[in-house]
Amino acid sequence: MQASASSMTKVNAGALRKGASTTTTLIQRRRVVAKAGKTLPSWYPGAAKPKYLDGSLPGDYGFDPLQLGTEPEQLKWFAQAELLHARFAMLGCLGVLAPEAAAKLGVQWPGAGVNFVDAATFQYDYDSKVYFVIQLFLMHWVEIRRYQDMQKEGSVNQDPIFQKYELPSDNKSGYPGGIFDLFGWSTRSSQDLEELKLKEIKNGRLAMFSFVGFWLQYLCTGKGPIDCWIDHLANPFVNNILNTDAVPFINP
C-alpha cells in the first residue's frame, strides 16, 4: 500500500508539473501574440494587413490600397521617397510659417511680408533664376549620391572632397548618422531610435497634408496660412471654408 501511494504521488506530481509547463507555454504564446498585435497596428480597426507590410518600416499601418509595395525593391524605393518628401514638407512648412510670423512680429528683411508663392519670383540681390540654378546643381549632387547609397548601402560613406569626414559603416539608407546627426540621436538605444523614426514619419505625413492645405488656402483666399488663421479667429462663423471658393455650390 505504501509503494502504491508513493507511485500515485509521483504520477500526480508529474501530471502537475506537466500541467504547469503547458500553462506556462500557453501564457508565453499568448504574450507573443499580444506583442505581435501591439507592434503591428492597423490603419483601420479590423482591416487585414497585406503580407508584404510586416511592420518593419517606421509608420507601417498596413495602408496600401493601390498595392504599390508588392515588389520588395519597389517598396524600398517608395519608403525612401516618402521619407524624403516628408522631410522636405516639414522644411517647407517651416519656410512658409516662419517668415510670415516674423513679418507679423515686425522683423524686417528684403522680401518681408511677401507671401510664400510670390517669394519664389521676388527680386532679391540677384535674379531668382540665379538662385534656382545654384539650387539645381547642389540638389543634383546630393540626389545622385543619395541614389547611389540606395543602390548599395555604404558606397558613398566617404566624403570625396573632405577626406576626414566619413559616415558610420553601419548606417542605413535615409538615416546616415555621423555629421548629419548633430544631436547624436542615432547613437541612442534601438528602441529610442525606432520611436524617433516613427515620430519623424508621422510629423512628415502631417506636414505633407499641411502644405497641400497651404496651397488650397492661397488659391481660394490669396493669403498665407497665418493670415487665414488670424481671420478665422477674428470671426470663425464667417471666415471659414464654407465662405470661400473651395465650396462652389455654396458660393457660386
Side-chain angles (χ1 to χ4, degrees):
M1 290 293 291
Q2 290 179 351
S4 179
S6 177
S7 299
M8 289 291 290
T9 302
K10 291 180 179 179
V11 171
N12 290 336
L16 288 172
R17 284 195 298 269
K18 184 177 179 181
S21 177
T22 304
T23 304
T24 303
T25 303
L26 288 174
I27 291 174
Q28 288 176 348
R29 287 178 180 174
R30 287 173 185 168
R31 286 176 179 172
V32 170
V33 172
K35 184 177 180 182
K38 185 178 180 181
T39 55
L40 297 177
S42 177
W43 69 277
Y44 185 80
K49 293 192 64 174
K51 294 182 179 180
Y52 53 86
L53 296 178
D54 57 2
S56 59
L57 294 172
D60 176 10
Y61 294 99
F63 183 77
D64 187 17
L66 301 180
Q67 298 183 350
L68 300 175
T70 52
E71 297 292 333
E73 289 300 318
Q74 194 175 30
L75 177 60
K76 178 182 176 182
W77 176 269
F78 281 129
Q80 289 296 315
E82 182 189 33
L83 179 62
L84 185 66
H85 282 81
R87 289 171 176 171
F88 272 126
M90 288 188 283
L91 289 173
C93 287
L94 180 63
V96 171
L97 294 171
E100 188 175 353
K104 294 291 182 185
L105 294 174
V107 181
Q108 295 296 320
W109 71 93
V114 179
N115 65 63
F116 71 98
V117 177
D118 295 331
T121 55
F122 182 78
Q123 186 68 39
Y124 293 95
D125 297 334
Y126 298 95
D127 191 280
S128 59
K129 298 183 183 64
V130 175
Y131 294 105
F132 173 77
V133 172
I134 293 174
Q135 182 180 359
L136 186 66
F137 276 101
L138 292 177
M139 291 300 297
H140 176 268
W141 167 260
V142 172
E143 287 300 300
I144 289 296
R145 292 186 64 81
R146 189 177 67 85
Y147 177 76
Q148 291 174 338
D149 186 66
M150 283 185 59
Q151 296 297 105
K152 184 180 179 181
E153 287 187 349
S155 60
V156 293
N157 282 356
Q158 180 64 54
D159 192 309
I161 300 176
F162 303 99
Q163 297 295 324
K164 64 178 181 178
Y165 294 119
E166 184 178 5
L167 297 177
S169 58
D170 58 345
N171 64 352
K172 300 296 182 182
S173 292
Y175 305 96
I179 60 173
F180 295 102
D181 183 14
L182 301 178
F183 301 101
W185 287 337
S186 62
T187 59
R188 296 184 180 182
S189 65
S190 57
Q191 183 177 359
D192 290 341
L193 183 59
E194 291 303 317
E195 184 178 355
L196 290 173
K197 289 179 180 180
L198 179 60
K199 290 179 179 180
E200 179 187 36
I201 198 64
K202 281 185 175 181
N203 283 281
R205 289 168 178 170
L206 181 61
M208 286 188 280
F209 276 105
S210 298
F211 200 83
V212 173
F214 292 170
W215 267 102
L216 293 178
Q217 278 184 324
Y218 178 80
L219 292 175
C220 293
T221 66
K223 298 179 180 180
I226 294 183
D227 274 335
C228 290
W229 177 61
I230 292 174
D231 290 345
H232 177 71
L233 291 180
N235 196 341
F237 297 102
V238 174
N239 300 320
N240 54 58
I241 191 173
L242 298 178
N243 292 313
T244 65
D245 295 335
V247 190
F249 56 85
I250 293 181
N251 293 291

mmCIF file of all heavy atoms in Angstrom, residues 82-97 116 198-217 225:
data_model
loop_
_atom_site.group_PDB
_atom_site.id
_atom_site.type_symbol
_atom_site.label_atom_id
_atom_site.label_comp_id
_atom_site.label_asym_id
_atom_site.label_seq_id
_atom_site.Cartn_x
_atom_site.Cartn_y
_atom_site.Cartn_z
ATOM 1 N N GLU A 82 8.938 58.456 -49.633
ATOM 2 C CA GLU A 82 8.050 59.057 -48.642
ATOM 3 C C GLU A 82 8.849 59.783 -47.562
ATOM 4 O O GLU A 82 8.492 60.887 -47.148
ATOM 5 C CB GLU A 82 7.174 57.995 -47.988
ATOM 6 C CG GLU A 82 6.200 58.581 -46.970
ATOM 7 C CD GLU A 82 5.474 57.536 -46.152
ATOM 8 O OE1 GLU A 82 6.066 56.479 -45.879
ATOM 9 O OE2 GLU A 82 4.322 57.782 -45.777
ATOM 10 N N LEU A 83 9.935 59.151 -47.114
ATOM 11 C CA LEU A 83 10.768 59.764 -46.084
ATOM 12 C C LEU A 83 11.353 61.090 -46.557
ATOM 13 O O LEU A 83 11.346 62.096 -45.826
ATOM 14 C CB LEU A 83 11.890 58.801 -45.687
ATOM 15 C CG LEU A 83 12.880 59.292 -44.629
ATOM 16 C CD1 LEU A 83 12.158 59.575 -43.312
ATOM 17 C CD2 LEU A 83 14.002 58.267 -44.416
ATOM 18 N N LEU A 84 11.831 61.127 -47.795
ATOM 19 C CA LEU A 84 12.433 62.350 -48.332
ATOM 20 C C LEU A 84 11.375 63.446 -48.499
ATOM 21 O O LEU A 84 11.597 64.605 -48.134
ATOM 22 C CB LEU A 84 13.106 62.057 -49.664
ATOM 23 C CG LEU A 84 13.878 63.230 -50.282
ATOM 24 C CD1 LEU A 84 15.078 63.591 -49.425
ATOM 25 C CD2 LEU A 84 14.323 62.903 -51.697
ATOM 26 N N HIS A 85 10.224 63.084 -49.055
ATOM 27 C CA HIS A 85 9.158 64.071 -49.223
ATOM 28 C C HIS A 85 8.650 64.567 -47.879
ATOM 29 O O HIS A 85 8.282 65.748 -47.749
ATOM 30 C CB HIS A 85 8.005 63.466 -50.036
ATOM 31 C CG HIS A 85 8.264 63.413 -51.496
ATOM 32 N ND1 HIS A 85 9.017 62.416 -52.082
ATOM 33 C CD2 HIS A 85 7.895 64.236 -52.519
ATOM 34 C CE1 HIS A 85 9.093 62.613 -53.388
ATOM 35 N NE2 HIS A 85 8.423 63.716 -53.684
ATOM 36 N N ALA A 86 8.628 63.693 -46.883
ATOM 37 C CA ALA A 86 8.196 64.107 -45.544
ATOM 38 C C ALA A 86 9.151 65.143 -44.971
ATOM 39 O O ALA A 86 8.721 66.154 -44.391
ATOM 40 C CB ALA A 86 8.116 62.889 -44.623
ATOM 41 N N ARG A 87 10.443 64.927 -45.144
ATOM 42 C CA ARG A 87 11.424 65.883 -44.620
ATOM 43 C C ARG A 87 11.351 67.209 -45.369
ATOM 44 O O ARG A 87 11.447 68.283 -44.771
ATOM 45 C CB ARG A 87 12.828 65.275 -44.725
ATOM 46 C CG ARG A 87 13.049 64.132 -43.746
ATOM 47 C CD ARG A 87 14.345 63.390 -44.005
ATOM 48 N NE ARG A 87 14.587 62.363 -42.994
ATOM 49 C CZ ARG A 87 15.552 61.457 -43.058
ATOM 50 N NH1 ARG A 87 16.376 61.444 -44.104
ATOM 51 N NH2 ARG A 87 15.694 60.562 -42.094
ATOM 52 N N PHE A 88 11.195 67.148 -46.686
ATOM 53 C CA PHE A 88 11.055 68.386 -47.458
ATOM 54 C C PHE A 88 9.789 69.130 -47.056
ATOM 55 O O PHE A 88 9.766 70.365 -46.999
ATOM 56 C CB PHE A 88 11.033 68.079 -48.957
ATOM 57 C CG PHE A 88 12.395 68.045 -49.583
ATOM 58 C CD1 PHE A 88 12.823 66.950 -50.312
ATOM 59 C CD2 PHE A 88 13.249 69.122 -49.448
ATOM 60 C CE1 PHE A 88 14.086 66.915 -50.889
ATOM 61 C CE2 PHE A 88 14.521 69.106 -50.023
ATOM 62 C CZ PHE A 88 14.931 67.995 -50.742
ATOM 63 N N ALA A 89 8.703 68.390 -46.808
ATOM 64 C CA ALA A 89 7.441 69.028 -46.429
ATOM 65 C C ALA A 89 7.567 69.713 -45.076
ATOM 66 O O ALA A 89 7.037 70.821 -44.880
ATOM 67 C CB ALA A 89 6.319 67.989 -46.395
ATOM 68 N N MET A 90 8.277 69.087 -44.130
ATOM 69 C CA MET A 90 8.466 69.719 -42.822
ATOM 70 C C MET A 90 9.280 71.006 -42.959
ATOM 71 O O MET A 90 8.949 72.040 -42.350
ATOM 72 C CB MET A 90 9.135 68.743 -41.852
ATOM 73 C CG MET A 90 8.222 67.624 -41.379
ATOM 74 S SD MET A 90 8.906 66.593 -40.071
ATOM 75 C CE MET A 90 10.050 65.559 -41.001
ATOM 76 N N LEU A 91 10.344 70.956 -43.767
ATOM 77 C CA LEU A 91 11.133 72.163 -44.003
ATOM 78 C C LEU A 91 10.314 73.212 -44.755
ATOM 79 O O LEU A 91 10.414 74.413 -44.484
ATOM 80 C CB LEU A 91 12.395 71.817 -44.797
ATOM 81 C CG LEU A 91 13.482 71.042 -44.057
ATOM 82 C CD1 LEU A 91 14.589 70.622 -45.022
ATOM 83 C CD2 LEU A 91 14.059 71.864 -42.921
ATOM 84 N N GLY A 92 9.500 72.753 -45.716
ATOM 85 C CA GLY A 92 8.672 73.677 -46.482
ATOM 86 C C GLY A 92 7.641 74.387 -45.613
ATOM 87 O O GLY A 92 7.434 75.598 -45.746
ATOM 88 N N CYS A 93 7.001 73.627 -44.714
ATOM 89 C CA CYS A 93 6.018 74.251 -43.814
ATOM 90 C C CYS A 93 6.691 75.271 -42.907
ATOM 91 O O CYS A 93 6.141 76.351 -42.654
ATOM 92 C CB CYS A 93 5.330 73.168 -42.975
ATOM 93 S SG CYS A 93 4.149 72.172 -43.902
ATOM 94 N N LEU A 94 7.881 74.933 -42.431
ATOM 95 C CA LEU A 94 8.634 75.888 -41.614
ATOM 96 C C LEU A 94 8.997 77.123 -42.430
ATOM 97 O O LEU A 94 8.910 78.259 -41.942
ATOM 98 C CB LEU A 94 9.895 75.232 -41.058
ATOM 99 C CG LEU A 94 10.791 76.112 -40.175
ATOM 100 C CD1 LEU A 94 10.038 76.539 -38.917
ATOM 101 C CD2 LEU A 94 12.079 75.363 -39.808
ATOM 102 N N GLY A 95 9.378 76.918 -43.691
ATOM 103 C CA GLY A 95 9.730 78.032 -44.559
ATOM 104 C C GLY A 95 8.546 78.908 -44.915
ATOM 105 O O GLY A 95 8.728 80.071 -45.283
ATOM 106 N N VAL A 96 7.336 78.366 -44.841
ATOM 107 C CA VAL A 96 6.139 79.165 -45.097
ATOM 108 C C VAL A 96 5.720 79.919 -43.837
ATOM 109 O O VAL A 96 5.416 81.115 -43.872
ATOM 110 C CB VAL A 96 4.988 78.271 -45.589
ATOM 111 C CG1 VAL A 96 3.686 79.051 -45.648
ATOM 112 C CG2 VAL A 96 5.305 77.695 -46.961
ATOM 113 N N LEU A 97 5.701 79.216 -42.707
ATOM 114 C CA LEU A 97 5.174 79.790 -41.469
ATOM 115 C C LEU A 97 6.133 80.793 -40.821
ATOM 116 O O LEU A 97 5.702 81.849 -40.353
ATOM 117 C CB LEU A 97 4.855 78.669 -40.478
ATOM 118 C CG LEU A 97 3.719 77.722 -40.884
ATOM 119 C CD1 LEU A 97 3.650 76.541 -39.928
ATOM 120 C CD2 LEU A 97 2.393 78.453 -40.922
ATOM 121 N N PHE A 116 4.345 83.301 -49.532
ATOM 122 C CA PHE A 116 5.268 82.219 -49.905
ATOM 123 C C PHE A 116 5.198 81.861 -51.390
ATOM 124 O O PHE A 116 6.147 81.283 -51.935
ATOM 125 C CB PHE A 116 4.984 80.972 -49.050
ATOM 126 C CG PHE A 116 3.692 80.262 -49.377
ATOM 127 C CD1 PHE A 116 3.681 79.151 -50.193
ATOM 128 C CD2 PHE A 116 2.490 80.697 -48.832
ATOM 129 C CE1 PHE A 116 2.496 78.496 -50.482
ATOM 130 C CE2 PHE A 116 1.302 80.044 -49.106
ATOM 131 C CZ PHE A 116 1.294 78.942 -49.939
ATOM 132 N N LEU A 198 9.524 56.774 -35.981
ATOM 133 C CA LEU A 198 8.065 56.802 -36.070
ATOM 134 C C LEU A 198 7.535 58.225 -35.933
ATOM 135 O O LEU A 198 6.660 58.652 -36.694
ATOM 136 C CB LEU A 198 7.467 55.899 -34.989
ATOM 137 C CG LEU A 198 5.942 55.839 -34.918
ATOM 138 C CD1 LEU A 198 5.365 55.324 -36.232
ATOM 139 C CD2 LEU A 198 5.496 54.961 -33.747
ATOM 140 N N LYS A 199 8.079 58.973 -34.990
ATOM 141 C CA LYS A 199 7.643 60.367 -34.807
ATOM 142 C C LYS A 199 7.966 61.198 -36.049
ATOM 143 O O LYS A 199 7.177 62.064 -36.455
ATOM 144 C CB LYS A 199 8.310 60.972 -33.576
ATOM 145 C CG LYS A 199 7.812 60.400 -32.250
ATOM 146 C CD LYS A 199 8.530 61.041 -31.077
ATOM 147 C CE LYS A 199 8.013 60.491 -29.755
ATOM 148 N NZ LYS A 199 8.712 61.097 -28.584
ATOM 149 N N GLU A 200 9.129 60.942 -36.647
ATOM 150 C CA GLU A 200 9.520 61.713 -37.825
ATOM 151 C C GLU A 200 8.563 61.471 -38.979
ATOM 152 O O GLU A 200 8.103 62.426 -39.626
ATOM 153 C CB GLU A 200 10.942 61.346 -38.255
ATOM 154 C CG GLU A 200 11.404 62.103 -39.495
ATOM 155 C CD GLU A 200 12.737 61.630 -40.027
ATOM 156 O OE1 GLU A 200 13.010 60.411 -39.960
ATOM 157 O OE2 GLU A 200 13.487 62.476 -40.524
ATOM 158 N N ILE A 201 8.236 60.215 -39.262
ATOM 159 C CA ILE A 201 7.380 59.928 -40.415
ATOM 160 C C ILE A 201 5.958 60.398 -40.155
ATOM 161 O O ILE A 201 5.259 60.852 -41.080
ATOM 162 C CB ILE A 201 7.418 58.423 -40.763
ATOM 163 C CG1 ILE A 201 6.917 58.189 -42.190
ATOM 164 C CG2 ILE A 201 6.640 57.596 -39.781
ATOM 165 C CD1 ILE A 201 7.770 58.796 -43.258
ATOM 166 N N LYS A 202 5.500 60.354 -38.908
ATOM 167 C CA LYS A 202 4.162 60.864 -38.586
ATOM 168 C C LYS A 202 4.090 62.366 -38.803
ATOM 169 O O LYS A 202 3.145 62.874 -39.426
ATOM 170 C CB LYS A 202 3.802 60.527 -37.133
ATOM 171 C CG LYS A 202 3.336 59.099 -36.904
ATOM 172 C CD LYS A 202 2.902 58.903 -35.463
ATOM 173 C CE LYS A 202 2.313 57.524 -35.239
ATOM 174 N NZ LYS A 202 1.863 57.332 -33.836
ATOM 175 N N ASN A 203 5.082 63.095 -38.278
ATOM 176 C CA ASN A 203 5.107 64.544 -38.476
ATOM 177 C C ASN A 203 5.297 64.902 -39.940
ATOM 178 O O ASN A 203 4.755 65.901 -40.428
ATOM 179 C CB ASN A 203 6.214 65.172 -37.627
ATOM 180 C CG ASN A 203 5.837 65.285 -36.168
ATOM 181 O OD1 ASN A 203 5.104 66.179 -35.768
ATOM 182 N ND2 ASN A 203 6.318 64.367 -35.341
ATOM 183 N N GLY A 204 6.069 64.088 -40.657
ATOM 184 C CA GLY A 204 6.272 64.338 -42.081
ATOM 185 C C GLY A 204 5.000 64.152 -42.887
ATOM 186 O O GLY A 204 4.707 64.933 -43.794
ATOM 187 N N ARG A 205 4.226 63.127 -42.563
ATOM 188 C CA ARG A 205 2.958 62.916 -43.264
ATOM 189 C C ARG A 205 1.992 64.063 -42.982
ATOM 190 O O ARG A 205 1.283 64.531 -43.883
ATOM 191 C CB ARG A 205 2.346 61.582 -42.831
ATOM 192 C CG ARG A 205 3.099 60.366 -43.367
ATOM 193 C CD ARG A 205 2.654 59.090 -42.695
ATOM 194 N NE ARG A 205 3.355 57.928 -43.252
ATOM 195 C CZ ARG A 205 3.303 56.700 -42.729
ATOM 196 N NH1 ARG A 205 2.585 56.481 -41.628
ATOM 197 N NH2 ARG A 205 3.967 55.701 -43.287
ATOM 198 N N LEU A 206 1.971 64.507 -41.743
ATOM 199 C CA LEU A 206 1.131 65.651 -41.382
ATOM 200 C C LEU A 206 1.566 66.904 -42.136
ATOM 201 O O LEU A 206 0.733 67.687 -42.606
ATOM 202 C CB LEU A 206 1.191 65.884 -39.875
ATOM 203 C CG LEU A 206 0.351 67.040 -39.320
ATOM 204 C CD1 LEU A 206 -1.123 66.813 -39.596
ATOM 205 C CD2 LEU A 206 0.599 67.205 -37.817
ATOM 206 N N ALA A 207 2.879 67.088 -42.279
ATOM 207 C CA ALA A 207 3.399 68.263 -42.992
ATOM 208 C C ALA A 207 3.036 68.220 -44.468
ATOM 209 O O ALA A 207 2.738 69.270 -45.071
ATOM 210 C CB ALA A 207 4.912 68.351 -42.821
ATOM 211 N N MET A 208 3.033 67.039 -45.065
ATOM 212 C CA MET A 208 2.670 66.938 -46.480
ATOM 213 C C MET A 208 1.221 67.359 -46.693
ATOM 214 O O MET A 208 0.893 68.082 -47.637
ATOM 215 C CB MET A 208 2.925 65.513 -46.991
ATOM 216 C CG MET A 208 4.402 65.184 -47.185
ATOM 217 S SD MET A 208 4.708 63.607 -47.999
ATOM 218 C CE MET A 208 4.488 62.454 -46.631
ATOM 219 N N PHE A 209 0.329 66.888 -45.818
ATOM 220 C CA PHE A 209 -1.064 67.315 -45.900
ATOM 221 C C PHE A 209 -1.192 68.815 -45.632
ATOM 222 O O PHE A 209 -1.996 69.509 -46.276
ATOM 223 C CB PHE A 209 -1.914 66.523 -44.906
ATOM 224 C CG PHE A 209 -2.359 65.186 -45.422
ATOM 225 C CD1 PHE A 209 -1.777 64.016 -44.973
ATOM 226 C CD2 PHE A 209 -3.370 65.107 -46.370
ATOM 227 C CE1 PHE A 209 -2.191 62.787 -45.454
ATOM 228 C CE2 PHE A 209 -3.795 63.871 -46.854
ATOM 229 C CZ PHE A 209 -3.199 62.709 -46.406
ATOM 230 N N SER A 210 -0.423 69.318 -44.670
ATOM 231 C CA SER A 210 -0.489 70.734 -44.326
ATOM 232 C C SER A 210 -0.070 71.599 -45.501
ATOM 233 O O SER A 210 -0.685 72.651 -45.769
ATOM 234 C CB SER A 210 0.409 71.028 -43.118
ATOM 235 O OG SER A 210 -0.019 70.309 -41.980
ATOM 236 N N PHE A 211 0.979 71.190 -46.202
ATOM 237 C CA PHE A 211 1.455 72.001 -47.325
ATOM 238 C C PHE A 211 0.412 72.063 -48.440
ATOM 239 O O PHE A 211 0.232 73.108 -49.079
ATOM 240 C CB PHE A 211 2.772 71.443 -47.862
ATOM 241 C CG PHE A 211 3.551 72.448 -48.662
ATOM 242 C CD1 PHE A 211 4.367 73.369 -48.023
ATOM 243 C CD2 PHE A 211 3.460 72.487 -50.037
ATOM 244 C CE1 PHE A 211 5.084 74.312 -48.753
ATOM 245 C CE2 PHE A 211 4.167 73.425 -50.770
ATOM 246 C CZ PHE A 211 4.975 74.346 -50.128
ATOM 247 N N VAL A 212 -0.271 70.948 -48.662
ATOM 248 C CA VAL A 212 -1.373 70.965 -49.631
ATOM 249 C C VAL A 212 -2.453 71.940 -49.169
ATOM 250 O O VAL A 212 -3.021 72.691 -49.963
ATOM 251 C CB VAL A 212 -1.959 69.552 -49.815
ATOM 252 C CG1 VAL A 212 -3.209 69.589 -50.677
ATOM 253 C CG2 VAL A 212 -0.931 68.623 -50.448
ATOM 254 N N GLY A 213 -2.724 71.951 -47.860
ATOM 255 C CA GLY A 213 -3.700 72.885 -47.308
ATOM 256 C C GLY A 213 -3.273 74.334 -47.486
ATOM 257 O O GLY A 213 -4.114 75.208 -47.765
ATOM 258 N N PHE A 214 -1.976 74.609 -47.334
ATOM 259 C CA PHE A 214 -1.474 75.974 -47.551
ATOM 260 C C PHE A 214 -1.783 76.444 -48.978
ATOM 261 O O PHE A 214 -2.214 77.588 -49.196
ATOM 262 C CB PHE A 214 0.031 76.041 -47.314
ATOM 263 C CG PHE A 214 0.442 75.824 -45.877
ATOM 264 C CD1 PHE A 214 1.778 75.649 -45.544
ATOM 265 C CD2 PHE A 214 -0.495 75.790 -44.859
ATOM 266 C CE1 PHE A 214 2.166 75.463 -44.222
ATOM 267 C CE2 PHE A 214 -0.120 75.601 -43.541
ATOM 268 C CZ PHE A 214 1.214 75.432 -43.227
ATOM 269 N N TRP A 215 -1.540 75.560 -49.934
ATOM 270 C CA TRP A 215 -1.759 75.917 -51.338
ATOM 271 C C TRP A 215 -3.243 76.132 -51.619
ATOM 272 O O TRP A 215 -3.624 77.081 -52.312
ATOM 273 C CB TRP A 215 -1.205 74.823 -52.256
ATOM 274 C CG TRP A 215 0.196 75.095 -52.684
ATOM 275 C CD1 TRP A 215 1.328 74.520 -52.195
ATOM 276 C CD2 TRP A 215 0.624 76.023 -53.679
ATOM 277 N NE1 TRP A 215 2.440 75.033 -52.824
ATOM 278 C CE2 TRP A 215 2.038 75.951 -53.737
ATOM 279 C CE3 TRP A 215 -0.040 76.912 -54.526
ATOM 280 C CZ2 TRP A 215 2.777 76.736 -54.618
ATOM 281 C CZ3 TRP A 215 0.716 77.685 -55.400
ATOM 282 C CH2 TRP A 215 2.110 77.592 -55.429
ATOM 283 N N LEU A 216 -4.087 75.255 -51.104
ATOM 284 C CA LEU A 216 -5.524 75.397 -51.338
ATOM 285 C C LEU A 216 -6.045 76.688 -50.713
ATOM 286 O O LEU A 216 -6.891 77.375 -51.295
ATOM 287 C CB LEU A 216 -6.269 74.183 -50.776
ATOM 288 C CG LEU A 216 -5.996 72.843 -51.483
ATOM 289 C CD1 LEU A 216 -6.754 71.715 -50.801
ATOM 290 C CD2 LEU A 216 -6.380 72.927 -52.961
ATOM 291 N N GLN A 217 -5.540 77.005 -49.505
ATOM 292 C CA GLN A 217 -5.933 78.262 -48.871
ATOM 293 C C GLN A 217 -5.551 79.454 -49.734
ATOM 294 O O GLN A 217 -6.336 80.393 -49.919
ATOM 295 C CB GLN A 217 -5.266 78.393 -47.495
ATOM 296 C CG GLN A 217 -5.962 77.649 -46.380
ATOM 297 C CD GLN A 217 -5.289 77.910 -45.048
ATOM 298 O OE1 GLN A 217 -4.067 78.034 -44.958
ATOM 299 N NE2 GLN A 217 -6.081 77.980 -43.988
ATOM 300 N N PRO A 225 -1.097 81.032 -44.650
ATOM 301 C CA PRO A 225 -1.788 80.276 -43.588
ATOM 302 C C PRO A 225 -2.005 81.070 -42.305
ATOM 303 O O PRO A 225 -3.046 80.927 -41.663
ATOM 304 C CB PRO A 225 -0.879 79.074 -43.363
ATOM 305 C CG PRO A 225 0.448 79.463 -43.913
ATOM 306 C CD PRO A 225 0.170 80.389 -45.032
#
